[in-house]
Amino acid sequence: MDHAQYEEYVMTLIVQAGQCRSMLMTAIREAKQGNFDAADTLVAQAKEALKDAHHIQTKLIEYDEGEGKLPVHIVMVHAQDHLMNAVLMMDLAGEIIDLRRVTQQ
């Protein structure tokens, strides 16, 4: 993997994870307003963004093979942080939206 491809993967990971997080925050706000169809649509879109981010992460892991082939720069740490936050947001958003759904019935 050349440097340009590595950078593209890392930046794509950041973008996809960031999009996931943003969509989930919007979904929570929609649920707060009682717009559960919109919230559900946003969660589905966020799942796709998270899936794309995981796909990139998997490519990076497969290339590295646990042998340290890839440099670990601060931007890679930043990308992994974004991904971790997106995964956490997915879990929390589901719970928050479900709670909103129950309290508004």
Side-chain angles (χ1 to χ4, degrees):
M1 175 180 302
D2 64 20
H3 184 72
Q5 187 177 28
Y6 173 74
E7 282 185 2
E8 181 181 336
Y9 280 169
V10 171
M11 294 310 292
T12 301
L13 185 59
I14 291 169
V15 168
Q16 292 299 322
Q19 285 182 333
C20 175
R21 184 190 173 283
S22 292
M23 286 185 274
L24 291 169
M25 287 301 298
T26 303
I28 290 168
R29 289 185 198 106
E30 289 291 341
K32 185 177 182 179
Q33 299 300 317
N35 302 326
F36 295 107
D37 288 340
D40 292 341
T41 298
L42 285 160
V43 169
Q45 292 170 347
K47 284 181 182 178
E48 285 302 310
L50 186 58
K51 185 172 95 174
D52 292 344
H54 271 293
H55 181 71
I56 294 295
Q57 183 189 42
T58 300
K59 283 183 180 183
L60 290 167
I61 291 169
E62 286 173 350
Y63 178 80
D64 189 67
E65 295 178 330
E67 295 179 9
K69 294 177 185 176
L70 292 175
V72 181
H73 299 292
I74 191 69
V75 72
M76 174 56 105
V77 174
H78 182 65
Q80 293 298 318
D81 186 46
H82 269 277
L83 182 57
M84 180 193 70
N85 284 319
V87 170
L88 178 61
M89 272 301 299
M90 184 64 72
D91 293 340
L92 290 174
E95 291 298 320
I96 292 167
I97 292 168
D98 285 347
L99 286 170
R100 290 283 185 187
R101 205 180 309 264
V102 168
T103 59
Q104 291 189 17
Q105 289 180 355

